[in-house]
Amino acid sequence: MSHDVMEPGTRAERRNAGRRPKKRRTGRIILLTLLVLVLATGGWLYWLYSSLDSNIKAVDLDKELGVNRPEKVPSTGQNLLVLGSDSRAGDNAALDKAAVSGARSDTALVIHVPEGRSGAVAVSIPRDTLITRPECKRRDGSEAPEARQVMFNSVYAQFGPACVVKTVEKMSRIRLDHYMEIDFAGFKDLVDVIGGVTIDIDKAISDKHSGLELAAGAQHLDGTQALAFARTRYGIGDGSDLGRIGNQQKFLTALLAEVKRQDLLGSPTKTYKIANSATEALTTDSGLASLTSLGDYARSLNGVDPTNMETIMLPVAYDKTDPNRVVAHEPNASRLWTAIREDTDIPESAKKSPATGG
């Protein structure tokens, strides 16, 4: 049996690995991000900026994964895997005041948009969930055998996005139609282009890791400050990722509001710069890796109301051999994936997670 090395994580991260995120919070983060991208690149403008296509990084899932994938069930809606990545390089490394290499996928959601409905469901997979990783290609092209008891968060770092898609499809038996990865560091330039964002800070923040110092109240942040705010967790709450998720929600809400406020029609140059910054932060599957395809896909989701987005955490229980990790709780997890796969209502029993007391 092969084992990958699991990232140790902090005690706070371990302690909070299985806690239930607030309802719809993470889903709204992703929806707001998509809205920013659509606003910046979609509608009547996208055809003007064919040169921006090269900014969007693509993953050819058909080539990487082959034909051994779950079958697509007709008329069961769309399934999208969204990862929030943290490259730990460039701007991100500067924030940590250290030369930190590698990459992490700190947010992972399977978003299901039912056929012909206005609502949507986002299943959040806790980063510390122990899973069985299928056989995957390493980043150098060599093959790695299947491995059990692997931390979900490590798959992206060691094998890249195609292996994450393969892993999620294996654990859910759901065919993923599209993949989207968003790097928060890519929004730094976008914030500077629009002249900064104003964010309401609930409590003063003092983060020695990033050097971020913010007083409570309304604060106008530049790109560097906004990125630090979106990433900090040491200066807020108990140091867990849950506090950072709340900050990211505020950051993207403020960003969207500021982009909407900008006079895009009156400033084509600024519009181009906004579109350029937004697309540089984006990686998609090859089917979405153009402004035309991205715009078409965004318009196909026009009927989805963000207020009807329900975020459900994958039901998990503490691992019996390592209580600092969690595992999918059965039969609840299987019931959840089956309901999504068959496009039926999700039973309440499928939402219960022993690790959170639910």
Side-chain angles (χ1 to χ4, degrees):
M1 184 178 299
S2 173
H3 295 271
D4 284 340
V5 177
M6 294 185 297
E7 296 176 1
T10 64
R11 290 185 178 179
E13 288 173 330
R14 293 177 179 178
R15 185 172 60 252
N16 290 279
R19 292 184 182 176
R20 185 189 302 274
K22 292 185 178 180
K23 186 181 176 92
R24 294 199 302 269
R25 172 174 286 177
T26 308
R28 286 179 178 175
I29 290 173
I30 301 304
L31 261 292
L32 286 168
T33 303
L34 293 177
L35 286 172
V36 170
L37 291 170
V38 170
L39 186 61
T41 67
W44 67 276
L45 288 169
Y46 76 84
W47 60 273
L48 291 172
Y49 303 126
S50 58
S51 63
L52 296 177
D53 283 354
S54 60
N55 283 349
I56 304 173
K57 297 170 284 293
V59 178
D60 190 339
L61 295 180
D62 291 335
K63 178 180 179 181
E64 294 285 339
L65 302 181
V67 297
N68 188 21
R69 303 177 64 188
E71 183 179 355
K72 173 65 178 176
V73 181
S75 304
T76 55
Q78 289 280 314
N79 298 304
L80 170 70
L81 176 64
V82 178
L83 295 185
S85 68
D86 191 356
S87 65
R88 303 292 177 180
D91 291 325
N92 284 335
L95 284 175
D96 285 331
K97 295 186 176 180
V100 183
S101 61
R104 299 179 181 181
S105 56
D106 284 338
T107 301
L109 297 108
V110 176
I111 298 181
H112 174 65
V113 182
E115 186 74 18
R117 302 182 195 175
S118 61
V121 175
V123 178
S124 175
I125 303 174
R127 52 178 287 173
D128 287 343
T129 304
L130 296 178
I131 51 87
T132 296
R133 176 188 52 72
E135 180 180 302
C136 283
K137 289 183 179 180
R138 296 186 178 91
R139 291 183 181 271
D140 62 5
S142 62
E143 294 287 342
E146 177 180 291
R148 298 178 182 274
Q149 293 294 99
V150 172
M151 194 169 73
F152 179 78
N153 189 45
S154 72
V155 176
Y156 178 92
Q158 296 177 14
F159 299 95
C163 189
V164 179
V165 172
K166 190 174 184 178
T167 299
V168 173
E169 288 190 340
K170 179 180 177 64
M171 67 190 295
S172 67
R173 292 169 49 215
I174 292 173
R175 175 66 172 255
L176 296 171
D177 298 291
H178 292 294
Y179 168 82
M180 185 175 291
E181 178 185 329
I182 302 163
D183 187 348
F184 272 92
F187 283 110
K188 174 181 176 296
D189 291 340
L190 176 57
V191 173
D192 286 332
V193 166
I194 64 176
V197 296
T198 299
I199 299 176
D200 188 25
I201 310 297
D202 292 332
K203 295 182 180 179
I205 296 175
S206 178
D207 185 351
K208 64 180 181 180
H209 291 78
S210 66
L212 182 65
E213 299 285 342
L214 294 174
Q219 302 291 336
H220 192 74
L221 310 182
D222 62 20
T224 299
Q225 292 172 314
L227 178 57
F229 174 76
R231 287 200 55 231
T232 187
R233 67 174 185 267
Y234 300 107
I236 56 175
D238 62 359
S240 75
D241 278 338
L242 296 181
R244 178 163 61 179
I245 290 173
N247 279 2
Q248 290 172 352
Q249 180 190 25
K250 284 189 174 184
F251 166 56
L252 288 171
T253 300
L255 179 62
L256 177 61
E258 188 59 36
V259 170
K260 281 187 172 182
R261 194 187 67 80
Q262 298 281 327
D263 181 16
L264 301 184
L265 294 178
S267 180
T269 300
K270 178 176 286 189
T271 300
Y272 181 90
K273 290 181 178 179
I274 289 175
N276 185 57
S277 297
T279 52
E280 284 184 340
L282 186 64
T283 300
T284 72
D285 64 275
S286 55
L288 291 181
S290 72
L291 295 183
T292 301
S293 298
L294 188 62
D296 288 344
Y297 186 67
R299 285 192 295 276
S300 75
L301 301 179
N302 277 345
V304 178
D305 183 354
T307 62
N308 291 334
M309 166 79 77
E310 181 180 14
T311 299
I312 303 171
M313 189 183 74
L314 177 70
V316 291
Y318 290 111
D319 182 55
K320 293 180 180 179
T321 59
D322 185 355
N324 292 315
R325 305 290 184 227
V326 294
V327 294
H329 176 68
E330 297 296 353
N332 295 3
S334 291
R335 289 171 180 165
L336 174 62
W337 293 130
T338 298
I340 292 176
R341 187 167 59 248
E342 298 178 354
D343 202 15
T344 59
D345 291 337
I346 299 173
E348 288 301 316
S349 62
K351 304 176 185 180
K352 294 182 178 180
S353 185
T356 63

